[in-house]
Amino acid sequence: MKVKKSDEFIELVETLNNEHQQHGFNYYIHPDVEDVIRKIQTILSMPYRMISFDTSINQNSLIVNIDWQEFTEEPIRFYFPNDYFVVDIETTGLDYETDEIVEIAAMKVVNNHIESMENWYNKDAVISDYLKTNTTLTQEFITANGIDIDTAVQKFRDYVGYNSILVGHNIGFDISFLRQSMRLRSIKQKTLYSNFSNYFIDTMLIAKYFSHSTLKKHSVDFMVANDPTLNPKKLEQHFAISDIQIEKNIFDQEKDILGKDFIGEFDADLMGWALPKYNLNEVHDEINTISYTI
């Protein structure tokens, strides 16, 4: 196992040291422990997984020693947790590098029950021909009801948190766009780059390889057309706020078919095509180019 300490973490600590005019060696931090630990946990959450964490007090300051493992493998899982967030986005096209997010939606599920739903529109997105063929969203609607994309991304990040499990249909697509938007926000605002490595579950892959393998296609549209009970409210599809409700129904049906204790194995050769195109290896390569402030 390759274990390393990150230059980003050392830079974080040095910034804290300078703020409090302290001079020392290694990880010498102001004794406001709770706030420091919170900041450390934020930067540790991506793209590293913490291996060990220990502290000691020296001259009224906190010394923190952390070992961590570089985390570049996509954290995909196949199982049915009780608590999770369903996530979906609408975009102007299929390329996360050149197209834009138009809508972000997320649903908080606690103990298998919907607790809340949120969605945000990008007021500056331009309705594309691609979007016109897939949704009835209009330019007037998103301009009137939207906010700037940086604020939308931050509100989404705050809503789902860093350690939650995310569920979505072809969620690798959504994650690529969200990672890119978070990266661009961090560059513009010179803030800490959150590279978005929450564990995620792809309902499309579960359907294709486990629960609905006999279906010809596994898009949301095809699955709903094949089984209208997946959309009992007849919600208009290709609105992210509607699609998260349908995708929860798909997830529930998959659990009914496979059983609540099902655990599936990810086969990279078979299923790798559906992982985020903006992968964690790329994120790691780029994170060092972004400066941030505490």
Side-chain angles (χ1 to χ4, degrees), residues 91 157 190 196 202 204 251:
T91 65
R157 173 84 276 183
K190 295 185 177 180
F196 199 50
D202 191 335
M204 178 188 67
F251 194 52

Side-chain angles (χ1 to χ4, degrees), residues 99-117:
D99 292 307
E100 295 182 281
I101 292 176
V102 177
E103 181 190 5
I104 308 172
M107 171 196 291
K108 184 177 183 179
V109 178
V110 178
N111 198 24
N112 297 308
H113 295 289
I114 299 172
E115 183 174 281
S116 61
M117 289 187 289

Side-chain angles (χ1 to χ4, degrees), residues 121-125 137-147:
Y121 295 101
N122 175 8
K123 69 180 179 63
D124 299 314
L137 273 171
T138 65
Q139 193 70 58
E140 293 74 20
F141 180 84
I142 63 170
T143 301
N145 294 279
I147 57 179

Side-chain angles (χ1 to χ4, degrees), residues 224 227-237 242 245-246 249:
V224 169
D227 182 0
T229 66
L230 293 172
N231 186 12
K233 297 179 181 178
K234 298 186 179 348
L235 299 169
E236 184 173 358
Q237 295 174 236
S242 299
Q245 299 173 67
I246 298 169
N249 293 337

Side-chain angles (χ1 to χ4, degrees), residues 1 12 21 39 50 92 124 132 141 144 151 153 166 191 195 209 219 259 286 289 291:
M1 180 184 300
L12 169 70
Q21 298 180 340
K39 291 175 180 176
M50 189 164 56
T92 59
D124 299 314
K132 289 175 183 177
F141 180 84
T151 302
V153 166
L166 309 180
T191 55
N195 73 356
Y209 295 107
S219 66
E286 293 170 349
T289 67
S291 61

Side-chain angles (χ1 to χ4, degrees), residues 74-76 170-173 176 179 200 202 205 266 268 271-279:
E74 291 294 347
I76 186 171
N170 192 22
I171 194 172
F173 174 87
S176 290
R179 283 177 179 165
F200 63 89
D202 191 335
L205 291 182
F266 175 73
M271 308 172 186
W273 59 273
L275 291 177
K277 298 299 183 286
Y278 186 15
N279 60 63

